[in-house]
Amino acid sequence: MKQSIPKRPMMKEWHVIGFTIFLLLVFAVILSAQATGVGQDFSSEQFFDLWAKMANPDWSYIPDIITPLLQTIQMAIVGTLIGCVAAIPVALVSASNIVRNPYVRGVVRFIMNLVRSIPEMLLAALFVAVVGIGALSGVCALSVFSFGMMFKLLYEAIETVDQGPIEAMRAAGGNRNQVIVFAVIPQVLNQYLSFFLYTLEINVRASAVLGYLGAGGIGLYLNTTLEMFRYDRTAVVILGILVVVVLVDALSNKLREALS
Amino acid sequence: MTEKKGNIEIKNVSKVYPNGTVGLKDINLNIKQGEFVMIVGLSGSGKSTLLRSINRLHDVTDGEILIDGQDITKATGNKLHKIRRSTAMIFQNYNLVKTSSVYRNVMSGRVGYYPAWKAALGLFTKEDQEMVKTNLARVNLLDKYYVKARDLSGGQQQRVGIARAMMQEPSVILADEPVSGLDPKTTKLVMNDLKKLNEEDGMTIILNVHSIGLALKYSSRIVGLKEGRIIYDKPIAEVDKRDFKEIYREAGDDSSVEAGNDVEED
Ligand SMILES: Nc1ncnc2c1ncn2[C@@H]1O[C@H](COP(=O)(O)OP(=O)(O)OP(=O)(O)O)[C@@H](O)[C@H]1O
Ligand SMILES: [Mg+2]
C-alpha cells in the first residue's frame, strides 16, 4: 500500500490555535474578575447563616404560597398564548418563501430583532413602570418575550418547509392565504406546538422571578421573605418553584415527544 | 363559450431566465381539447420551462399563452387563480404534504374553492368530501384514506397526486415527468390513470417524458424540443420511430430509442 493519510501541518497536529484561544480566555476571565471586584465583599458569616436557615424550611408556609404559585403558572400560560399567537402573522411575513418582497421582510425582521434584544427582566421592569405593580405587567412582559422568541423559531421553521406542496397549491390556483393554510400550516403545525411548549417552559421559570420586580406571582414572596431574613420561608418558596418547574418541564417534554 | 374546454394556444413564446439562460425560443403550439401531447427532448431542452409557463409558475419573456381564449401571461389576481384552477399539474416529486393524510392531500386540490379561514377550520362541504372518495377510488387508493402521505410508495404518492389534480375539475393536466423514478409496473398504472382521464373525461394532457417508448404508446401527438425550440411536432399516426434517432443522435445518445423498442405493447 502506497497510499497514506497526508500528514497534518504542525499547527493543526498540536491544535495550536485552539490551545492559544483557551489560554487567552482563562487570562480574560482572571482579568475581568479583578476589574469588577468579584468576591471582594463576600461575608462567609452571612453565607452560612443563610444556609443554616434554609436547611430548616418552615413547612407551615406552604398554604400561603399555593395561590401565588398558581398565579405564576397562569401568567406564564396567558403570556405564552398571547405572544405565540401574535407571532404567527409576523413570522409568515418574515419568511422568504411566503413574502417575496425583501424590503418588507427586512423591515419586519429588523423591528423584531429590536424587540428580541430586550431582556425579559428589563421588559418586566418597563411594564411595572407603565402598567403598574401586579400580574398584568408580568403577563405583558411574558407576552412580548414569547412573541419575540416564537417569531424567530417559527419563521425559521417556515423557511425550511418543503417547497413542493407550496408550488403545488400555487399551481392549483390558491392565493397566498389559501397556500398558507393548505401547504405551510400542515408542515409546521407540530413544530409550532412544540415551540409553544418550549416557550411555556421558559416562561414558567421566568415568571417565577418576575414577581421580584413587582410583576405578580410567586416572585414577590421570594422578595419579601428574603427582605425579612426569613430564609426558612425562602427555602419553601424556592422548593415550590422547583416543584412547579420540574412538573411543567416533565409534562411539556412528554407532550413534545408525542408531537415529534 | 359553448365549445369544450381545454384548448391551449401558445404564440411566439420566449423565455430568458434572469441569469441569461435561454429557456424557450419562439414557441408556437396549438393544442386542442382532448389531445394527449407528450413532450420529448434531452435534459435541459426546456420541457419543464414550457410546462411551467403554461400555468405561469414561470413568467415568460415574450409572447402569449391562451387557455380557452384567456391569456394567462397577463392575468393577475383572481383571474390568474381561476385559470390555474382549470389547469392541474402533476409533479415529478409528487409535492404532497408528507405529514398529512391522503384525505387531506387530495382535498387540497380544492384549495382554490375555499376561503382560507374555512379551509383552516376544515369546513369542507359534503359534496367535496364525497368527491375525495370518488377520486381516490378512481386511482384505487380508497383504502389509504387515513394513511400519511409519507407512508406510501412513490407510485401511490403519484396517484394521490393525480386524485388531487382531479379535485380541481380541470380541463387540462400538465404532468412534468410524472413517472421518472417509478418502476415499469407502477409507471403503467400511473400512465393508465392519466389515459383514462384523457379518454373518459376528455381532459387535455401535456406530459413531459424521457422515454420515447412511453410517448409512442400513450400519446396522440409528440412534440420534440431542443435548446428551447420546437424541432419536431407530429400526430402519432405520422410518427416514425427513426425520427427520434434524429432528435437524440447529435448528443451521441440513442439509448432512449433502444429503450423505446422494448416497451411491450398490449
Ligand atoms: N430557475 C432557472 N434559472 C436559470 N436557468 C434555468 C432555471 N430553470 C431552468 N433553467 C435552464 O433552462 C434550460 C431548460 O431547463 P428545463 O428545466 O426546462 O429543461 P428540461 O427539458 O425540463 O430538462 P430535464 O429533462 O432535465 O428536466 C436549461 O438550460 C436550464 O439550465
Ligand atoms: Mg424538467
Side-chain angles (χ1 to χ4, degrees):
Chain A
M1 279 258 280
K2 282 257 164 68
Q3 289 189 347
S4 64
I5 301 173
K7 200 163 161 47
R8 290 203 289 186
M10 239 270 285
M11 287 277 280
K12 285 208 180 129
E13 188 69 43
W14 296 96
H15 304 282
V16 172
I17 294 176
F19 201 65
T20 314
I21 290 176
F22 175 71
L23 281 182
L24 282 176
L25 277 179
V26 170
F27 193 59
V29 168
I30 295 172
L31 268 188
S32 59
Q34 273 175 358
T36 52
V38 171
Q40 299 212 326
D41 46 34
F42 176 78
S43 143
S44 57
E45 221 166 283
Q46 207 182 338
F47 181 75
F48 287 117
D49 175 51
L50 186 142
W51 280 106
K53 280 194 182 160
M54 293 246 290
N56 298 299
D58 174 13
W59 299 117
S60 67
Y61 196 53
I62 291 178
D64 295 273
I65 64 164
I66 298 288
T67 326
L69 268 178
L70 288 179
Q71 193 192 29
T72 295
I73 298 175
Q74 283 168 350
M75 276 164 51
I77 291 177
V78 174
T80 312
L81 213 65
I82 294 174
C84 288
V85 170
I88 297 173
V90 190
L92 283 167
V93 172
S94 299
S96 54
N97 50 352
I98 308 284
V99 172
R100 293 274 168 76
N101 187 332
Y103 301 104
V104 173
R105 290 196 324 258
V107 169
V108 174
R109 277 191 208 177
F110 178 73
I111 295 172
M112 286 309 293
N113 280 335
L114 285 186
V115 171
R116 290 196 320 116
S117 68
I118 310 172
E120 202 162 28
M121 288 303 142
L122 184 56
L123 279 174
L126 278 176
F127 278 111
V128 168
V130 176
V131 186
I133 288 182
L136 181 61
S137 49
V139 169
C140 289
L142 291 172
S143 299
V144 174
F145 174 75
S146 316
F147 179 59
M149 176 147 152
M150 179 54 107
F151 159 79
K152 178 142 169 63
L153 292 170
L154 187 59
Y155 104 74
E156 281 174 357
I158 292 173
E159 286 202 331
T160 53
V161 298
D162 180 4
Q163 239 2 76
I166 295 180
E167 185 175 61
M169 290 301 99
R170 289 212 301 134
N175 62 28
R176 183 178 295 153
N177 290 342
Q178 289 163 330
V179 171
I180 288 170
V181 168
F182 276 96
V184 179
I185 291 179
Q187 291 196 68
V188 295
L189 186 60
N190 276 9
Q191 283 179 79
Y192 178 81
L193 294 176
S194 178
F195 296 157
F196 178 88
L197 291 168
Y198 178 63
T199 312
L200 183 66
E201 274 177 47
I202 294 180
N203 279 349
V204 168
R205 278 163 225 252
S207 73
V209 198
L210 283 186
Y212 208 86
L213 300 167
I218 189 75
L220 177 65
Y221 291 71
L222 205 59
N223 195 358
T224 43
T225 53
L226 279 174
E227 259 169 14
M228 294 158 66
F229 302 107
R230 289 297 303 266
Y231 298 135
D232 51 342
R233 291 189 162 175
T234 309
V236 174
V237 173
I238 291 176
L239 283 175
I241 293 174
L242 206 69
V243 168
V244 166
V245 168
V246 167
L247 281 182
V248 170
D249 275 15
L251 189 69
S252 154
N253 275 329
K254 265 264 151 341
L255 288 173
R256 275 161 54 193
E257 254 168 48
L259 279 173
S260 62
Chain B
M1 265 189 285
T2 48
E3 66 181 304
K4 282 216 173 181
K5 301 234 166 186
N7 299 294
I8 298 169
E9 269 178 87
I10 302 174
K11 292 184 190 166
N12 308 319
V13 162
S14 296
K15 158 89 184 164
V16 181
Y17 281 102
N19 64 5
T21 314
V22 175
L24 298 172
K25 225 169 176 178
D26 203 25
I27 301 278
N28 280 287
L29 202 57
N30 211 331
I31 297 173
K32 287 263 167 302
Q33 186 269 325
E35 283 195 75
F36 196 140
V37 180
M38 294 234 198
I39 299 175
V40 298
L42 291 170
S43 211
S45 57
K47 303 185 296 294
S48 299
T49 310
L50 177 59
L51 219 58
R52 283 157 175 274
S53 299
I54 295 177
N55 65 359
R56 205 163 156 204
L57 285 182
H58 285 327
D59 279 314
V60 298
T61 328
D62 255 313
E64 44 188 38
I65 300 177
L66 305 182
I67 294 165
D68 291 319
Q70 289 182 300
D71 187 359
I72 193 169
T73 62
K74 294 187 185 63
T76 51
N78 224 5
K79 192 169 170 206
L80 173 63
H81 297 141
K82 284 251 168 67
I83 302 179
R84 277 182 176 159
R85 221 158 70 175
S86 68
T87 58
M89 190 167 224
I90 293 168
F91 303 85
Q92 181 175 356
N93 2 312
Y94 327 128
N95 286 359
L96 303 177
V97 177
K98 302 260 185 319
T99 49
S100 290
S101 67
V102 165
Y103 158 74
R104 190 70 206 188
N105 270 294
V106 175
M107 187 59 99
S108 74
R110 297 295 281 177
V111 57
Y113 291 83
Y114 284 94
W117 67 271
K118 261 195 179 172
L121 299 175
L123 297 174
F124 303 111
T125 62
K126 268 256 140 30
E127 296 83 60
D128 285 355
Q129 296 184 11
E130 282 306 311
M131 185 149 70
V132 170
K133 288 183 202 156
T134 315
N135 286 331
L136 269 177
R138 281 187 78 169
V139 294
N140 265 322
L141 285 175
L142 195 50
D143 56 323
K144 304 290 183 194
Y145 194 83
Y146 294 110
V147 177
K148 290 227 162 86
R150 63 156 176 249
D151 296 330
L152 297 177
S153 72
Q156 288 169 334
Q157 289 191 40
Q158 191 55 290
R159 280 144 66 214
V160 170
I162 293 175
R164 177 178 68 186
M166 282 148 72
M167 292 299 288
Q168 289 175 233
E169 302 181 282
S171 43
V172 178
I173 288 190
L174 309 169
D176 194 357
E177 297 189 33
V179 291
S180 313
L182 300 181
D183 63 51
K185 208 173 147 212
T186 322
T187 295
K188 214 163 150 186
L189 275 176
V190 170
M191 289 306 297
N192 285 338
D193 283 337
L194 290 171
K195 190 81 193 155
K196 248 193 337 200
L197 293 180
N198 176 242
E199 284 174 351
E200 291 172 15
D201 303 40
M203 290 183 196
T204 309
I205 297 188
I206 308 177
L207 192 149
N208 290 348
V209 273
H210 273 294
S211 153
I212 300 291
L214 281 179
L216 289 171
K217 188 168 172 202
Y218 287 94
S219 71
S220 67
R221 174 177 173 189
I222 296 181
V223 171
L225 281 186
K226 186 171 182 179
E227 288 163 11
R229 292 175 190 275
I230 294 183
I231 54 157
Y232 187 88
D233 183 1
K234 279 188 187 170
I236 194 74
E238 294 172 21
V239 170
D240 187 325
K241 272 187 193 173
R242 274 165 302 187
D243 294 345
F244 300 108
K245 284 234 159 68
E246 210 62 35
I247 298 179
Y248 283 93
R249 191 190 291 142
E250 266 174 54
D253 167 65
D254 47 13
S255 57
S256 305
V257 183
E258 308 305 338
N261 294 332
D262 50 39
V263 167
E264 93 263 39
E265 310 283 330
D266 57 335

